[in-house]
């Protein structure tokens, strides 16, 4: 039996059993590309006569897209209303889904993978995320359903202004304007 997808091919030899059936040993087909793969089985008898059968099967795409997230900028008061992330992706494997933070405050953005293998989120409002360490998860899923993922973390600084202090006067004293007489003394 020969499994081919030119220029790649894999050959396996199997004995024909007394019942007229044959089975190959497990064979690594990892080097064959996804898609239609022709299979040819042939048998030659003692007289040199060869019989051949051909069939095609579909090899599923099992390749995971490769996606990364670049070094994320710290989230602060200046960028939390329009936060932008970027990274690399596999061209032709679809858009990249970016999840910033965790439920219930997670923010999700979608970024297209451009023809150069880069993605950039649109400006995204992340102001509702709590201060501290924020997780970032990126995923790209191709048409075959294979997903590549990457993770990063970033710090969101405390952007909540302090509350305005209040002043409480305890035991207020009433002051009134007093006019005091002028006292002068002169010694001679």
């Amino acid at each position: 039996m020969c499994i081919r997808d030119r220029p790649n091919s894999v050959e396996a030899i199997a004995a024909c059993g007394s019942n007229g059936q044959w089975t190959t040993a497990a064979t690594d087909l990892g080097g064959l590309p996804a898609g239609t793969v022709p299979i040819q089985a042939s048998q030659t008898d003692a007289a040199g006569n060869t019989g051949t059968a051909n069939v095609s099967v579909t090899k599923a795409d099992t390749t995971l897209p490769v996606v990364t997230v670049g070094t994320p900028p710290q989230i602060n008061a200046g960028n939390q209303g329009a936060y932008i992330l970027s990274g690399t992706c596999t061209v032709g494997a679809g858009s990249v889904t970016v999840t910033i933070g965790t439920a219930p405050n997670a923010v999700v953005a979608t970024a297209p993978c451009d023809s150069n293998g880069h993605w950039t989120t649109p400006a995204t409002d992340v102001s509702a995320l709590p201060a501290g360490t924020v997780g970032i998860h990126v995923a790209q899923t191709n048409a075959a359903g294979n997903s590549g993922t990457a993770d990063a973390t970033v710090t969101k600084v405390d952007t909540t202004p302090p509350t305005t202090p209040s002043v409480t006067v305890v035991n207020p004293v009433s002051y009134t304007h007093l006019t005091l007489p002028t006292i002068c003394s002169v010694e001679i």
Side-chain angles (χ1 to χ4, degrees):
M1 175 182 80
C2 182
I3 302 172
R4 295 181 189 205
D5 186 26
R6 300 211 195 295
N8 302 316
S9 67
V10 176
E11 292 191 26
I13 297 174
C16 185
S18 60
N19 61 359
Q21 296 184 1
W22 55 270
T23 302
T24 64
T27 305
D28 181 9
L29 304 179
L32 299 177
T36 302
V37 177
I39 298 175
Q40 181 181 66
S42 60
Q43 180 181 23
T44 303
D45 65 15
N49 302 310
T50 301
T52 302
N54 294 297
V55 66
S56 291
V57 297
T58 300
K59 180 182 176 203
D61 178 358
T62 58
T63 304
L64 301 178
V66 177
V67 62
T68 66
V69 59
T71 302
Q74 181 182 60
I75 302 171
N76 56 46
N79 67 7
Q80 70 177 353
Y83 192 66
I84 297 174
L85 290 169
S86 62
T88 62
C89 49
T90 300
V91 174
S95 293
V96 176
T97 301
V98 182
T99 304
I100 307 165
T102 55
N105 299 317
V107 178
V108 178
T110 301
C113 180
D114 70 22
S115 61
N116 295 315
H118 296 96
W119 61 267
T120 300
T121 61
T124 304
D125 185 354
V126 296
S127 59
L129 297 174
T133 301
V134 175
I136 298 169
H137 179 77
V138 297
Q140 184 180 30
T141 303
N142 65 18
N146 304 310
S147 292
T149 63
D151 294 289
T153 59
V154 66
T155 300
K156 180 182 181 199
V157 296
D158 183 359
T159 58
T160 306
T163 57
T164 305
S166 62
V167 176
T168 304
V169 177
V170 179
N171 297 325
V173 176
S174 176
Y175 294 95
T176 58
H177 182 73
L178 299 175
T179 304
L180 299 175
T182 305
I183 302 176
C184 250
S185 93
V186 177
E187 272 185 38
I188 305 192

